[in-house]
Amino acid sequence: MAIAVQLNNVTKNYGITAAVQNISLTIEKGTTVAILGPNGAGKTTTISMMLGLLEPTSGDVRLFEKNPKEIVVREKIGAMLQDVSLIDKLKVHEVIKLFRSYYKNPLSIEELVEITGLEPEDLTKWATKLSGGQRRRVAFALALAGNPDLVFLDEPTVGLDVTARRKFWEKIDILKASGKTIIFSTHYLEEADDVAERIILFNKGEIIADGKPAEIKQKFRRSTISFQTDNPDALPKLKALPNVLDCYMEEERICIITEETDAVLETIYKENFIPKDMQIEHGRLEEVFEHLTSNQGEVS
Ligand SMILES: Nc1ncnc2c1ncn2[C@@H]1O[C@H](COP(=O)(O)OP(=O)(O)OP(=O)(O)O)[C@@H](O)[C@H]1O
Ligand SMILES: [Mg+2]
């Protein structure tokens, strides 16, 4: 499989802040990858290094097996950055024309309007006088102006309303189907899950999980088993089990957090704890995400 992006032992420090710590990854051409993580996780820093806008403190970044700064590479990439700054004193169609002029085979303005959902009347507005959502759309058009093979989108849906967000992802589906490599960052687990075929989960500058959405969910899916019992040995015995992540009393019930529900249930019955009013709850994905990003040590 041809490689679009490769990072080898990449670190970025800002003074004493370690923004990205020794990450390595390979992204194949034609895939859609979500970089998921909370504020300050290192997503923008990583994307900026992939784009060649920021030099790593150490390590190596390659796009299409070349330096990201090479012209032949630049011609193949487009980006929508987190802080959208549109050029002052230009109208929207002028900014788009300017960006198109940087590329050999740009998309036509009509195609860009169609793909990005810009309204034709937006084209004649001053770029600085657009609403937040309209600015995002122009930024999206600028990212796609050169008909790039590889598209970076740093939190593309921030500030978009629900309808605009849905429409945006529909457009991304079209780009995906045309074989482009798409790398986007997001805070939203659901968005990553719906859109990406691979999720790279960042936290505190490190990659804490990387895989297909289903694999990540499977890997970190946790359940809570709770029951009442009169057996005083139950709590300490359950606490000591290797597949129990946490075990505590709450409202006179024993609560057990585990990734291996069946194995824990087997023990409960084998040990004859005589459980009453047993309840099993499967963790929601949001909880898994919160757990991952707040207790990094436990999952690595
Ligand atoms: N220019 C800078 N100077 C100093 N520190 C920086 C700079 N840019 C980012 N940082 C720090 O590096 C870390 C990673 O920041 P980064 O912007 O990559 O996070 P992020 O995952 O994109 O977060 P967000 O979801 O808020 O956009 C943070 O601790 C941040 O404070
Ligand atoms: Mg960011």
Side-chain angles (χ1 to χ4, degrees):
M1 212 34 193
I3 293 171
V5 181
Q6 189 153 30
L7 264 54
N8 293 317
N9 303 106
V10 170
T11 290
K12 179 70 191 178
N13 300 325
Y14 295 106
I16 54 160
T17 308
V20 170
Q21 301 179 49
N22 197 31
I23 61 169
S24 296
L25 59 89
T26 302
I27 295 173
E28 289 170 357
K29 270 191 201 170
T31 49
T32 300
V33 178
I35 296 183
L36 178 68
N39 288 133
K43 304 180 297 295
T44 297
T45 303
T46 302
I47 289 177
S48 303
M49 289 192 288
M50 288 175 176
L51 284 165
L53 298 174
L54 200 60
E55 277 300 313
T57 307
S58 61
D60 183 42
V61 179
R62 307 249 115 196
L63 296 188
F64 303 111
E65 300 179 47
K66 294 192 172 71
N67 186 320
K69 287 186 180 146
E70 283 189 37
I71 296 284
V72 285
V73 176
R74 290 217 170 280
E75 283 171 352
K76 288 195 210 171
I77 63 179
M80 183 168 160
L81 300 176
Q82 192 167 13
D83 299 314
V84 181
S85 54
L86 299 172
I87 300 167
D88 289 351
K89 301 198 178 74
L90 286 181
K91 295 202 167 164
V92 169
H93 67 98
E94 292 167 334
V95 184
I96 295 177
K97 265 187 204 141
L98 178 67
F99 268 68
R100 289 179 68 252
S101 72
Y102 299 152
Y103 295 93
K104 264 195 204 142
N105 301 305
L107 291 179
S108 69
I109 296 217
E110 293 72 28
E111 282 171 303
L112 289 171
V113 167
E114 166 66 25
I115 296 178
T116 58
L118 270 172
E119 302 293 335
E121 59 264 29
D122 291 341
L123 291 174
T124 50
K125 288 186 182 156
W126 293 103
T128 46
K129 297 212 170 145
L130 300 172
S131 77
Q134 288 164 339
R135 290 169 81 91
R136 300 304 282 171
R137 258 175 260 167
V138 176
F140 188 34
L142 299 181
L144 300 181
N147 195 16
D149 292 336
L150 171 58
V151 187
F152 292 94
L153 307 159
D154 194 2
E155 293 186 34
T157 59
V158 165
L160 296 188
D161 63 33
V162 178
T163 315
R165 195 173 280 229
R166 183 179 46 76
K167 283 192 179 153
F168 174 81
W169 290 120
E170 283 171 11
K171 304 297 181 192
I172 293 293
D173 273 342
I174 297 168
L175 294 179
K176 272 166 76 171
S178 69
K180 308 224 182 262
T181 310
I182 301 166
I183 299 173
F184 69 96
S185 74
T186 180
H187 296 138
Y188 305 112
L189 193 59
E190 294 304 333
E191 210 166 73
D193 186 23
D194 287 347
V195 182
E197 52 212 272
R198 174 175 169 194
I199 296 177
I200 304 176
L201 184 53
F202 273 67
N203 192 38
K204 297 177 186 158
E206 293 183 50
I207 295 174
I208 59 169
D210 182 349
K212 293 190 176 115
E215 286 167 359
I216 301 230
K217 284 190 275 181
Q218 183 64 35
K219 190 169 171 193
F220 296 114
R221 177 137 284 164
R222 284 157 166 74
S223 304
T224 308
I225 303 171
S226 70
F227 60 91
Q228 292 181 323
T229 177
D230 298 326
N231 187 330
D233 293 338
L235 188 69
K237 278 195 177 164
L238 286 165
K239 260 189 182 168
L241 289 180
N243 41 24
V244 167
L245 297 168
D246 200 2
C247 182
Y248 51 90
M249 290 299 293
E250 196 174 274
E251 293 172 4
E252 296 178 18
R253 301 175 66 79
I254 293 185
C255 301
I256 306 149
I257 315 286
T258 182
E259 289 167 7
E260 293 171 63
T261 317
D262 291 346
V264 174
L265 288 175
E266 204 179 309
T267 310
I268 291 169
Y269 287 104
K270 252 195 200 152
E271 294 277 345
N272 218 9
F273 292 150
I274 316 177
K276 282 177 279 187
D277 187 24
M278 167 95 71
Q279 289 173 12
I280 302 172
E281 279 176 74
H282 294 292
R284 285 182 308 120
L285 216 50
E286 289 79 5
E287 287 164 13
V288 176
F289 183 43
E290 271 169 34
H291 181 88
L292 278 178
T293 50
S294 62
N295 301 300
Q296 190 186 336
E298 282 183 32
V299 297
S300 52

